[in-house]
Amino acid sequence: MKNDRTLKIILTVIAISLVMIVIELASFTPVNASNSVIDVNIRQVGGSSVFRSIPVQINK
């Protein structure tokens, strides 16, 4: 009967942990997203300039 009690304790701890994870993920915190343009141009790679490289266009 000791194994049964140990199993129940372990399963209870797992269940409580899962409930806590769900509560944390379900919290409705506002996201700080904006519609402004962010400069994502790469100016250097490994200390070397990438001047006059091939332009790459990214479309949404």
Side-chain angles (χ1 to χ4, degrees):
M1 287 297 154
K2 185 175 182 181
N3 289 338
D4 186 43
R5 182 181 173 128
T6 304
L7 180 63
K8 286 181 182 180
I9 291 171
I10 291 172
L11 290 176
T12 303
V13 169
I14 292 171
I16 291 171
S17 300
L18 288 174
V19 168
M20 290 173 57
I21 290 171
V22 168
I23 290 171
E24 184 177 337
L25 291 176
S27 65
F28 296 105
T29 57
V31 177
N32 293 329
S34 64
N35 292 332
S36 64
V37 176
I38 298 173
D39 183 20
V40 292
N41 293 319
I42 300 172
R43 302 195 194 300
Q44 290 183 347
V45 176
S48 300
S49 177
V50 290
F51 182 68
R52 294 189 184 186
S53 61
I54 300 171
V56 177
Q57 295 226 347
I58 300 174
N59 298 323
K60 288 185 178 180

